[in-house]
Amino acid sequence: MRNVDHKLSEVVTSPVKNKVGSIFIPVRNIEQSREWYCRLLGLPTDCPIMNGHLCPLPMDGTGLILDTMPMWGGNEPGGAPNLKTPAFMLVTDDLQVSYEFAKTNNINIVTDIQYDHWFIIKDPDENMLMICRQ
C-alpha cells in the first residue's frame, strides 16, 4: 500500500452552500398526498399545486415539496420510486402524543417508539418518514 497524504482539515472554497433548501418527496397522487401531509403537519390544505405535479408545503426551516416526479419515473405505471428508508426526520416536542396522533389518524406506523427518541411511519405512497423527539 502506498501512503496517501490526506489534508482533512483543509477547507475548500465552494459555490455550493452547506444548506438544504428543500426535500422532495415522491408521491403518486398530488391532491391526496397534499391532504395527508397537511393533516399530519397541521397545515391548511390549500397549499398551491404548481405545474400540475409540485406542492411546496409551508414549513419552518427546510422545505418539503411533494412531487409526482414526471421526469424521474412518475409517468410510469408504478410511479417514481418511494423512499424505502427515512431520508429526513420530522421533529416533535412530545413523542408519545405524536405517536398517539398517528394511531388515532390511522397513519401506517412502521415501528413503535424506539429508544424513547423516534418512530417510523409510512405515507400513502409507502415513503418512510421518521418522527423524532427534538
Side-chain angles (χ1 to χ4, degrees), residues 34-73:
R34 173 180 62 183
E35 183 177 321
W36 189 89
Y37 275 90
C38 287
R39 186 182 63 203
L40 174 69
L41 300 170
L43 300 171
T45 58
D46 62 352
C47 304
I49 294 173
M50 302 164 50
N51 303 321
H53 68 97
L54 295 165
C55 182
L57 300 175
M59 302 289 291
D60 291 334
T62 302
L64 287 181
I65 300 175
L66 307 177
D67 189 353
T68 60
M69 301 196 171
M71 289 185 64
W72 313 111

Side-chain angles (χ1 to χ4, degrees), residues 37-131:
Y37 275 90
C38 287
R39 186 182 63 203
L40 174 69
L41 300 170
L43 300 171
T45 58
D46 62 352
C47 304
I49 294 173
M50 302 164 50
N51 303 321
H53 68 97
L54 295 165
C55 182
L57 300 175
M59 302 289 291
D60 291 334
T62 302
L64 287 181
I65 300 175
L66 307 177
D67 189 353
T68 60
M69 301 196 171
M71 289 185 64
W72 313 111
N75 289 333
E76 295 174 17
N82 61 349
L83 303 173
K84 296 186 184 300
T85 58
F88 60 92
M89 63 183 186
L90 297 166
V91 296
T92 180
D93 290 327
D94 193 323
L95 193 62
Q96 188 63 46
V97 169
S98 295
Y99 186 82
E100 294 302 322
F101 175 85
K103 284 173 59 175
T104 302
N105 284 277
N106 297 317
I107 292 172
N108 187 347
I109 299 173
V110 177
T111 69
D112 290 328
I113 293 174
Q114 303 292 307
Y115 308 104
D116 194 33
H117 200 69
W118 56 271
F119 65 98
I120 303 296
I121 62 173
K122 280 186 184 178
D123 74 4
D125 292 291
E126 298 198 355
N127 292 303
M128 298 278 203
L129 307 171
M130 178 181 280
I131 311 295

